[in-house]
């Protein structure tokens, strides 16, 4: 390849062509020694078109006018494709194929609607099994009744009762020297305080009545029966443990004191009174409590009301006060203070009474529908 050819390729100039007569050969046929180029179908078609056009046009002179270099040349200039364009085309095709493959693998929907992150699992909280408070209270109460009751004339009774609340083989004579006499009148189990190793402490309040110590009689006088001391409440802390699905007392309890008075009560809101309704319904409430003591409340209660009668031995002493709460509607509530005669004494009780208006074709009246003890 000559320097001229290299320069024309760099500048994009067409190759020089020779006509058929001068070269003594057909157009488009390479001469000997000329480098072979790849055949371009568009160049071949252009050459054939030029030949057909030259044969069809009339000649104006005896000799044909030599064709210009431009008319015999191809209508375009073939140029070699640069390496940068090839790389860009191949890179673009590769990028498109990469996008299609990625869409097939991950799914197009996940590009626009990414999956939500799974919610974090809730931490596992191991909760400790609740302590059997009710069983602990029952065992402690049974133990306290047996522990604080004794009779020197029948010591085996106490031992048998204690054995049911103690572990097998425990000392059933614990805490008593075998003398004296004491009765337990009531037992009230209280708070259960868990300590450690399935152990707990149960507070039990016990109403006891001890017998006074017998005094030696003077000479010449008969021995008299000991006098009973007044009943009193004492506290007892009982240690228990849960084992093998049961609760048992683990050892000696301890006597503790009981508060002599409770805390100061909070200021409670006062209830407004409906004076007119209180006056209109006082007789109905009075009749109800009179029938309440006699055991026959059906005639003085509203239809469908069920109010159990008081036990025998309670006599009605009168209605001390009655006040209906302010409000509206056919169901109203009020407070009644009632005197009862019981055990040879007159005692005052407080009740919350619900009354309802009962209407018939002839008239309407107020009747008691429910009654609850206390002022709350």
């Amino acid at each position: 390849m000559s320097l001229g050819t290299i320069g024309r390729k760099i500048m994009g100039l067409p190759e020089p062509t020779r006509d058929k007569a001068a070269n003594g050969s057909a157009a488009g046929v390479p001469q000997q020694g000329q480098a072979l180029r790849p055949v371009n179908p568009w160049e071949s078609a252009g050459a054939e078109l030029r030949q057909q056009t030259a044969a069809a046009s009339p000649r104006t002179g005896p000799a044909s006018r030599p064709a210009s270099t431009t008319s015999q040349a191809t209508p375009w200039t073939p140029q070699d494709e640069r390496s940068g364009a090839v790389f860009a085309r191949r890179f673009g095709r590769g990028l498109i194929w990469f996008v299609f493959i990625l869409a097939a693998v991950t799914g197009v929907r996940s590009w626009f609607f990414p999956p939500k992150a799974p919610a974090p699992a809730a931490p596992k909280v191991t909760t400790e099994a609740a302590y059997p408070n009710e069983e602990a209270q029952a065992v402690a109460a049974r133990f306290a009744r047996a522990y604080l009751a004794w009779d020197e004339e029948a010591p085996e009774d106490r031992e048998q009762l204690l054995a049911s609340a103690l572990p097998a083989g425990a000392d059933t004579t614990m805490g008593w020297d075998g003398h004296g006499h004491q009765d337990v009148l009531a037992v009230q189990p209280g708070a259960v305080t868990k300590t450690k190793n399935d152990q707990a402490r149960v507070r039990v309040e016990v109403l006891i009545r001890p017998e006074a110590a017998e005094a030696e009689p003077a000479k010449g006088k008969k021995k008299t029966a000991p006098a009973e001391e007044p009943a009193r409440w004492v506290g007892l802390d009982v240690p228990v443990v849960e084992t093998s699905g049961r609760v048992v007392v683990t050892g000696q309890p301890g006597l503790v004191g009981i508060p002599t008075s409770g805390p100061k009560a909070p200021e409670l809101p006062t209830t407004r009174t409906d004076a007119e309704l209180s006056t209109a319904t006082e007789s109905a409430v009075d009749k109800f409590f009179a029938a309440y003591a006699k055991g026959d409340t059906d005639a003085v209660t509203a239809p469908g009301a069920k109010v159990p009668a008081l036990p025998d031995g309670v006599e009605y002493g009168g209605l001390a006060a009655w006040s209906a709460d302010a409000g509206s509607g056919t169901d109203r509530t009020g407070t009644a203070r009632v005197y009862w005669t019981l055990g040879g004494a007159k005692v005052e009780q407080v009740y919350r009474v619900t009354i309802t208006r009962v209407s018939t074709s002839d008239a309407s009246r107020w009747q008691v529908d429910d009654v609850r003890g206390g002022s709350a």
Side-chain angles (χ1 to χ4, degrees):
M1 181 181 293
S2 63
L3 293 176
T5 302
I6 296 174
R8 283 192 294 271
K9 286 187 174 291
I10 294 175
M11 298 179 67
L13 299 176
E15 292 289 338
T17 59
R18 300 171 185 261
D19 57 8
K20 181 177 179 181
N23 292 334
S25 61
V29 179
Q31 300 297 320
Q32 184 177 5
Q34 184 179 358
L36 294 176
R37 281 195 330 179
V39 177
N40 192 324
W42 293 98
E43 293 180 0
S44 301
E48 185 178 355
L49 179 61
R50 288 194 300 273
Q51 291 176 4
Q52 293 176 0
T53 304
S57 60
R59 300 181 180 271
T60 57
S64 59
R65 186 167 49 90
S68 63
T69 305
T70 306
S71 63
Q72 293 180 359
T74 57
W76 57 83
T77 303
Q79 296 184 5
D80 295 336
E81 190 174 13
R82 297 182 180 181
S83 60
V86 175
F87 173 77
R89 184 176 65 253
R90 292 179 179 177
F91 178 78
R93 291 175 181 174
L95 182 61
I96 293 174
W97 279 108
F98 174 76
V99 172
F100 280 127
I101 294 173
L102 183 63
V105 174
T106 62
V108 178
R109 183 180 182 277
S110 63
W111 296 2
F112 302 97
F113 304 99
K116 295 181 179 180
K124 294 183 179 180
V125 180
T126 56
T127 56
E128 187 178 357
Y131 199 80
N133 290 347
E134 295 181 357
E135 183 181 359
Q137 288 175 328
V139 172
R142 191 168 68 247
F143 171 83
R145 179 179 289 276
Y147 183 81
L148 291 180
W150 51 73
D151 186 358
E152 61 183 8
E153 296 181 359
E156 64 279 359
D157 294 345
R158 181 176 182 272
E159 296 177 7
Q160 293 177 0
L161 294 175
L162 284 176
S164 64
L166 293 173
D171 181 16
T172 56
T173 63
M174 63 165 58
W176 181 47
D177 64 355
H179 297 87
H181 180 87
Q182 181 170 273
D183 295 328
V184 172
L185 306 181
V187 176
Q188 180 61 50
V192 178
T193 305
K194 186 177 178 181
T195 55
K196 59 181 179 179
N197 300 328
D198 294 329
Q199 295 179 336
R201 180 176 62 254
V202 184
R203 170 64 60 88
V204 183
E205 296 179 356
V206 186
L207 182 62
I208 60 173
R209 175 175 286 167
E211 186 179 90
E214 183 178 354
E216 290 294 333
K219 291 184 179 181
K221 293 186 178 180
K222 294 181 179 181
K223 187 176 182 179
T224 58
E228 289 185 347
E229 294 187 3
R232 55 180 177 268
W233 286 97
V234 296
L236 194 69
D237 280 346
V238 182
V240 297
V241 66
E242 181 188 12
T243 178
S244 301
R246 291 186 56 190
V247 176
V248 294
V249 177
T250 58
Q252 292 274 15
L255 286 173
V256 293
I258 295 179
T260 56
S261 63
K264 184 179 179 180
E267 294 292 337
L268 300 176
T270 58
T271 304
R272 293 187 300 110
T273 300
D274 188 335
E276 183 178 355
L277 182 62
S278 300
T279 303
T281 57
E282 183 175 359
S283 60
V285 174
D286 182 57
K287 290 180 181 178
F288 165 77
F289 280 106
Y292 194 31
K294 295 179 180 178
D296 184 14
T297 59
D298 293 339
V300 293
T301 55
K306 299 295 182 182
V307 181
L310 292 176
D312 295 338
V314 179
E315 297 181 2
Y316 181 54
L319 184 63
W322 161 250
S323 60
D325 298 345
S328 60
T330 57
D331 293 330
R332 305 288 290 275
T333 304
T335 302
R337 293 194 297 113
V338 181
Y339 287 115
W340 301 110
T341 301
L342 179 64
K346 181 180 287 188
V347 293
E348 181 181 306
Q349 307 284 292
V350 178
Y351 296 89
R352 291 288 287 172
V353 182
T354 302
I355 56 176
T356 185
R357 190 176 185 86
V358 179
S359 300
T360 62
S361 57
D362 299 334
S364 62
R365 63 185 183 276
W366 291 92
Q367 288 187 316
V368 174
D369 185 67
D370 191 22
V371 61
R372 293 287 184 269
S375 59

